[in-house]
Amino acid sequence: MILRSLLLRQGRFALPRSTLIRPFRRYLASQIEETYTNPHQHQQFIAGADGDATKSQAATSLSAESEVLDNDPVALNYALQQHSKAVTGKIGSMVEPHYRPHELLSNPPSPKDITLELLMASQSHIGHSTSLWHPANAKYIFGVRGEDGHPIHIISLDVTAAHLRRACKVVSGVTERGGLVLFVGSREGQARCVVNAASMSKGCHLFTKWIPGTITNGQQILGKCKKKVVNHKDEEVKGFEDQLIQKAAVKPDLVVCLNPLENYVLLHECALNNIPTVGIVDTDVNPTWITYPIPANDDSLRCVQLIAGVLGRAGQEGQAVRRELALTGQLPARQDHGLEPPAEQETDERNSRDKEHGRNLLQAGDV
Amino acid sequence: MESPLLGRCLRRLAQCPSRSPQRQIVQQRRLYATPAEATGDIRAAPPIRFSSDPQQFSQPRAQFIDSDGMNTAARRRDRNRNGNQGVDDQELLRQIRIVPASPSYFTATPKYTDDLLHLSHLMRKYQLLPVLEPGQAPRIAWKTIDQYKTELAEPIRSKGYNALLHLLKRLNYIHPSLMPEEVTQALDKFQRDVNPYLNIPKPITVSAYGVSVAAGRRKSSSATVHLVEGTGECLINGLPLPTYFGRLHDRESAVWALKSTQRLDKYNVFALTRGGGTTGQAEAITLACAKALLAHEPDLKPALRRAGCVTRNMKRVERKKPGKLKARKMPAWVKR
């Protein structure tokens, strides 16, 4: 075929690069967008984009991303396929802004985007059956729906929004002061949003079962797990390794729990150790377990991913503020780490003293 | 007329103001827990000094004791060093904090969780790349769970490791022409150092002199057979067949490979056997003879398989167990 032989003759580096691959690659995004961008910005029909490219030109320009090995037909075919998809995929289509579920994970909204419409679209107002409710969270409930068959409670979205904004303030406040936030979500499907939120707030994640005693018996359970010392710029500082071995296990400064019903042990341990908790409180959850409850639906993945994403963004904002302050020299209130400066000179003195002592001992001919 | 009791009370009340200074002195003495004059080793605590320094609570409390002028090792060290370094240490201590080395710290298996997340990330990123046909992926010996656990020194369950293996096997199916570098690196980390699938048995060939050599085993016996085209002679450990095997059944089974294919008069057999008893040695020669014959005539394999000469009989004598008389035989049952 003409297309392939052109490629083989001229080689891929001699050909122009296509720029239309990028929107397609965003679908496969596994990196989280660092700055929040309006996801619907790209949904505009661009007339004549790359329209000058004739078929031969289009087919001969390859995407830079695919690593094509010399003459393998599978690789060549794949490259051609990707390119033609990118070039011709959008032609003639005018896609209206629409909901894309993966964006909750790849580009989560920030606290300022919390609206009642967004919460309702994420099914966060749907509570459980009225017979299963916990009366302590009556003040979060708007009313009852479905009188005939199985009535369920509806959560007030204005209350949800207010509590969510407060929780965002708590998370960003903790991260501003260099605190460690632990995101916990052990239900199926919550792993990805928990990991994303933790990476945005530079905290820790847990998406499997909480091991009872991780905080109260930390030395036993987390004794083998490594800690490190970082400075105000988040750079690792060496020289404290031997001191760290003696130190107790690290405890989180804030715990965000996306399914409190399954993690009541975690919440109890946090309460015993004066660690504040943020959690999604459904109509059947005991709200007294949690310091900063967010009344919402913990069974809907969409709702959980939304809340985790928003809290992650709040943590990200707090980290940005902390970094700015640190660079200007304003350090937050220091924690009691109890570390001593790495004693390099002391060890040198000790070594030289030991050598002399050793020489004296060996004079008598000891082996 | 006043009562005598009332008169007494009034007189007492009138006398009260004169008594109060004495009572106050008594109370003052009782207020001090330590005596006013310093006797022996009981000394009053130093007076409390308040400072308005905004950084006063950012230092550890031990610093206050040091600042009283006591000669501690830290102070000596600071004085010995240059002035700059002492300040830098304090500044460093103010800047640092202890954090987990990995975001998976609270899972108690941080390295395993990080590996799982890395592989899941690669899987999501490259899930649309073309894959090989089922069964065509390069055969790789993955690390066993014990090897992985020893390497990581973490308590990992087999269910968790199987999830990891599932991801590895799926990533291994990506077409080699499009396999990304980072996927190759990730897969290499989980491969066993020695690939057992590269261990293929040496093929048995016919030498320049027309001799093929093969080994066979049965029970605890082993035999080596040299097979060459000839007239049908048979020597076992230097002795002719009927001399070595007194039992007719053993004689037949030793050359069963040739007998079942009607080639008794076509080949000469020279066998060396060690170990076990008569039956074991005879069956070992059967297997060895069959393998040697396949070197001469590979097309005989289906016939030899039907004759039962190709498969190595893996049966071994079962060991005796405690509580039993032999491997399986139980002692006689007693009611009481």
Side-chain angles (χ1 to χ4, degrees), chain A residues 19-20 44-53 86-88 90-91:
Chain A
T19 53
L20 276 183
Q44 282 140 32
F45 175 61
I46 305 160
D50 213 16
D52 294 72
V87 169
T88 61
K90 297 272 163 66
I91 290 173

Side-chain angles (χ1 to χ4, degrees), chain A residues 278-324:
Chain A
V278 169
I280 300 180
V281 165
D282 208 340
T283 50
D284 56 350
V285 176
N286 184 347
T288 58
W289 287 348
I290 293 157
T291 325
Y292 300 103
I294 304 170
N297 183 7
D298 62 3
D299 295 299
S300 163
L301 249 190
R302 218 181 266 195
C303 172
V304 165
Q305 284 171 355
L306 169 74
I307 290 173
V310 164
L311 293 173
R313 283 273 184 229
Q316 194 179 49
E317 285 161 13
Q319 288 286 347
V321 167
R322 184 179 66 81
R323 191 165 173 82
E324 267 182 45

Side-chain angles (χ1 to χ4, degrees), chain B residues 2-24:
Chain B
E2 292 176 341
S3 65
L5 176 63
L6 185 59
R8 257 183 272 139
C9 289
L10 286 168
R11 260 179 271 131
R12 281 247 171 89
L13 278 167
Q15 284 166 13
C16 265
S18 61
R19 281 201 184 188
S20 45
Q22 280 182 356
R23 212 170 268 163
Q24 275 171 11

